[in-house]
Every structure is written in C-alpha cells, then in structure tokens.
Amino acid sequence: MQTISNRVILLNNPTYQYDCQIVQSSAKILVFQCLCCTQKSGGILLIKQQDNNYSVPFDFTDANYKEIERILSKYPINQKKSGTIPLLMLAQKQNNNFLSLSAMKKVAKVLEIPEMDVYETASFYTMFNRERVGKFHLQVCGTTPCQLCGSREIIKTIEDKLGIHNGETTKDGLFTLQEVECLGACANAPMIQVNNEWVYEDLTPESTLKLLEDLQNGTDKKGPQNGRNQCEGPLGRTSLKGDVNIEVKHERDFEAAKQEWLDQKEKERLEAEKKRQAAQQAKK
C-alpha cells in the first residue's frame, strides 16, 4: 500500500483510489487506522462505488422503525450500542442484502454512537455484505463435516453451472457464491444457506442443480433435500416418541422455594458467624 498525501492507492489494484483519514470516521471511501497508533489498531476498508457512497440516501421504513423500537426496548436506555448487530442486520435485509455506507451511517445516528463503532462491527462479522451480492447469496459451508460429506463437489457443481467462482456474482446479478464457515447443520451435511436466512441440507450435485432452478422459479423447498424429516436418522425418531406438544404445568410453590433459599442462607450466615467468634475466642 502506498500513501500519497491524504490519498491511499492499493498497489495490487491501482485502478481504485481511496481517501484516507486517520482515526476519524468521516472518510468518504476508506477509514484507515495507523498500525503505530496507540489508541487504535488495524484498518477498515470501505469501498466507494457509484451506488455506495454517503450521497446515496438510506432510511428505515416506518415498519422497521417500529421494529427498532422493539429491539432497543431490550436494552438499558444508556446502552443503545447493544443493538448494533440487530440494526445492521435489519438495514442489510431492507437494502436487498447489502449493507451500504449510508445504511451504516444511519445505524450510528439511530444508536447515537460513533460511526467508527458501526464500521468496526460491520467489518468484523462476515454476515454483513459491504459489497453488493446477488439476489440469491449462496453461502456454502466448507467446514470439516460438510467437506467430508461432499461440499467440494457442491461448490464445483455451482461453479460449473453458473460460471463463477468463490466470491463472484453472475452477470445477471442473480447468484453470488461464497464459501463460509460452519453454519450449525453438521448432521445434515453438506448444506447451503441463502441470504443469511434459509438453509438447504443433505445436498448432492444433482439436488444442487435442481435447487438453483427452484430458487429462480420460486419453488424451492427449504430444509433437507433428500426427504429427511429435519435431522432425524434413517430409522426415524428413536426417542422422545410421546406427544411433544403436551402442555407442561409447573406446580412448584415458588414463594415457598424462595423462603427456603433465604432460610438456608441465613443458616449459613449464622454458622459462619459462630466459626468466626470461635476463632476469635481461641486467639485470646
């Protein structure tokens, strides 16, 4: 990276130039933290494009402002910052699965926190798309269980069908392919998550091709693609076979339990006091 005045040029891609401002969060294109700075470390890359700069307006819908009120009601009034991740997710979903600079700035304004705090969060978590992705963001798990069950074949199938590679988007803007870390569906490996939300499991190269067509046609079936019921094994449900929808009634007397707990604590306090007095008496 070469620094010229207040301009940063990435040598591996000199066609892109970035404004640079140390520590401040108001840079138009790149917020860069000097590694020798004692207050901060690391760097955050914010790429400016025609449709991704501070002049492009973004505001939450009325429905999402109500959702923001519901989210922030969970936290103390002086801890709005706790809502950073939920609000970023809300902004990204509203903005066609894309977290723009204007959206991040709006989140900072709503939460009344420095923009830098929002940039740091958005750049840390891979679930935030700071560059545009396709209508269907194909997030293929490539971690060990999925890899052992054929995720490499799934990725190659998608690459061959769509003509793209990891991190790329089809020319029609429909699909983006990305290999991600574990998505928590190891029992149903290999699997794909789409748009940070829906999962498609128990995939084969053949079912993956069908899934790509179904996504375009709006006929996709979420969950296991091989007829499996959720994550049951080949023998089906082997335990908890009773009625799982029965209403559980708790008949415990909580007031009595609380009093029992208080009595026990008082008993422990009295015993500790006796031991303390005995120890003091022994010293005399």
Side-chain angles (χ1 to χ4, degrees):
M1 180 181 289
Q2 177 184 0
T3 305
I4 302 177
S5 183
N6 203 35
R7 201 96 175 135
V8 174
I9 302 174
L10 298 187
L11 297 180
N12 61 348
N13 193 350
T15 59
Y16 284 98
Q17 294 188 6
Y18 304 91
D19 288 334
C20 174
Q21 194 168 358
I22 303 300
V23 177
Q24 300 299 319
S25 62
S26 58
K28 293 181 180 179
I29 308 172
L30 173 68
V31 179
F32 181 76
Q33 298 285 163
C34 180
L35 291 176
C36 64
C37 177
T38 58
Q39 294 180 339
K40 296 281 186 178
S41 63
I44 301 173
L45 184 63
L46 303 175
I47 300 177
K48 179 181 179 182
Q49 299 169 337
Q50 286 186 342
D51 60 349
N52 185 25
N53 56 69
Y54 290 133
S55 65
V56 178
F58 174 87
D59 199 0
F60 289 105
T61 63
D62 292 341
N64 278 342
Y65 270 119
K66 292 181 180 179
E67 178 63 13
I68 289 172
E69 290 181 9
R70 188 191 69 80
I71 292 171
L72 295 184
S73 67
K74 301 177 182 179
Y75 312 111
I77 193 170
N78 62 337
Q79 294 294 330
K80 287 185 178 181
K81 185 178 180 181
S82 300
T84 302
I85 290 179
L87 263 64
L88 284 174
M89 291 297 293
L90 194 64
Q92 178 170 276
K93 188 171 184 179
Q94 177 182 314
N95 203 34
N96 296 320
N97 209 21
F98 169 52
L99 190 58
S100 64
L101 297 177
S102 297
M104 288 187 273
K105 188 173 183 178
K106 172 59 70 172
V107 169
K109 183 176 180 180
V110 170
L111 296 179
E112 299 177 311
I113 60 176
E115 292 171 21
M116 177 60 76
D117 289 353
V118 176
Y119 298 151
E120 288 174 341
T121 301
S123 63
F124 180 81
Y125 293 100
T126 58
M127 62 190 177
F128 295 121
N129 304 318
R130 294 180 295 123
E131 295 185 52
R132 285 200 177 276
V133 295
K135 179 180 179 180
F136 302 107
H137 186 195
L138 307 176
Q139 300 158 294
V140 186
C141 178
T143 316
T144 306
C146 280
Q147 188 178 50
L148 292 174
C149 291
S151 64
R152 287 286 175 261
E153 289 77 8
I154 301 303
I155 292 174
K156 188 176 187 308
T157 298
I158 296 173
E159 290 178 337
D160 293 343
K161 174 65 176 177
L162 301 179
I164 58 175
H165 297 286
N166 187 36
E168 296 178 348
T169 301
T170 55
K171 292 181 180 179
D172 58 9
L174 277 180
F175 294 99
T176 295
L177 174 61
Q178 182 183 9
E179 181 177 347
V180 297
E181 296 305 313
C182 184
L183 293 170
C186 305
N188 294 12
M191 59 85 67
I192 291 177
Q193 178 177 268
V194 177
N195 295 344
N196 283 331
E197 189 168 6
W198 299 108
V199 294
Y200 303 85
E201 307 154 316
D202 292 311
L203 292 168
T204 63
E206 294 74 24
S207 62
T208 299
L209 291 174
K210 184 178 184 303
L211 174 61
L212 295 178
E213 295 180 1
D214 290 344
L215 285 171
Q216 294 184 73
N217 298 329
T219 57
D220 53 294
K221 171 181 170 293
K222 299 169 179 64
Q225 302 298 298
N226 62 352
R228 183 208 298 254
N229 179 28
Q230 300 182 39
C231 59
E232 290 181 2
L235 298 179
R237 186 186 293 273
T238 58
S239 60
L240 301 177
K241 293 184 176 182
D243 185 357
V244 295
N245 296 317
I246 60 174
E247 181 181 357
V248 178
K249 295 183 179 180
H250 299 280
E251 298 180 353
R252 183 180 179 186
D253 187 339
F254 287 101
E255 285 299 324
K258 180 180 178 180
Q259 188 59 48
E260 181 183 349
W261 180 81
L262 291 173
D263 293 343
Q264 178 64 28
K265 288 296 179 182
E266 179 64 15
K267 181 180 178 180
E268 292 173 359
R269 187 190 69 80
L270 293 174
E271 290 178 351
E273 180 65 19
K274 287 181 180 180
K275 290 181 180 179
R276 186 185 67 80
Q277 292 177 356
Q280 290 180 342
Q281 192 67 27
K283 288 181 180 180
K284 295 180 181 180

